[in-house]
Amino acid sequence: MKITDALRSLEKSWSRENVLLKIKNGEDSEKIVNDFFNTKKQEIKVLTSFINTKDKVLLNEIESLYKIESKLINKIKNSSFTKIDLSENVKDQKKSLEPEQNKKFNFSLFMMKWSNKFVFISLLVISAIALTKQAWA
């Protein structure tokens, strides 16, 4: 199996929407990861055979980035700001809450699309580096 085939297979099978659905259905994150790892062992084996020490450093940096993003999301989620007094004007309240709901939806959609593309591009860069090194060796 070629590295490009392995990367395509991994990307197609790891759908953020499916993972979110599994989480909403109460599946444990460890189970989700272990199931994916067990079903895609061959592709992961091909991928890891092309990863060298410099690539591992890059993967560690990407992992740190995701940890920071996770902390930021938790901080945003748990932040408490002064809320609008509900007894004032009901119409103004509805108008002010609708854009907030749309912003939250767009923000989560942006994060899902951006993160998925970032990981895919990173994997492609890693494989390109590995293939270039292999070609010059």
Side-chain angles (χ1 to χ4, degrees), residues 116-128:
N116 208 15
K117 288 179 183 177
F118 182 75
V119 170
F120 180 70
I121 290 170
S122 300
L123 290 174
L124 284 177
V125 168
I126 290 169
S127 64

Side-chain angles (χ1 to χ4, degrees), residues 3-62:
I3 185 69
T4 54
D5 296 335
L7 288 172
R8 283 187 192 126
S9 174
L10 289 171
E11 184 189 12
K12 286 180 183 176
S13 60
W14 183 262
S15 165
R16 293 184 79 124
E17 292 81 17
N18 290 342
V19 172
L20 286 173
L21 184 62
K22 288 178 183 180
I23 291 170
K24 287 178 183 179
N25 290 335
E27 276 193 56
D28 183 40
S29 59
E30 286 294 320
K31 182 183 182 317
I32 295 169
V33 170
N34 289 335
D35 288 347
F36 179 78
F37 190 83
N38 290 331
T39 58
K40 294 296 178 179
K41 272 187 181 176
Q42 186 64 30
E43 290 87 347
I44 293 171
K45 191 175 184 179
V46 170
L47 177 65
T48 56
S49 69
F50 284 95
I51 296 176
N52 61 27
T53 307
K54 290 181 183 178
D55 298 332
K56 287 183 181 181
V57 170
L58 177 63
L59 289 174
N60 286 335
E61 291 171 354
I62 293 170

Side-chain angles (χ1 to χ4, degrees), residues 3 49-50 52 127-137:
I3 185 69
S49 69
F50 284 95
N52 61 27
S127 64
I129 291 169
L131 290 172
T132 304
K133 282 187 159 188
Q134 187 179 13
W136 286 101

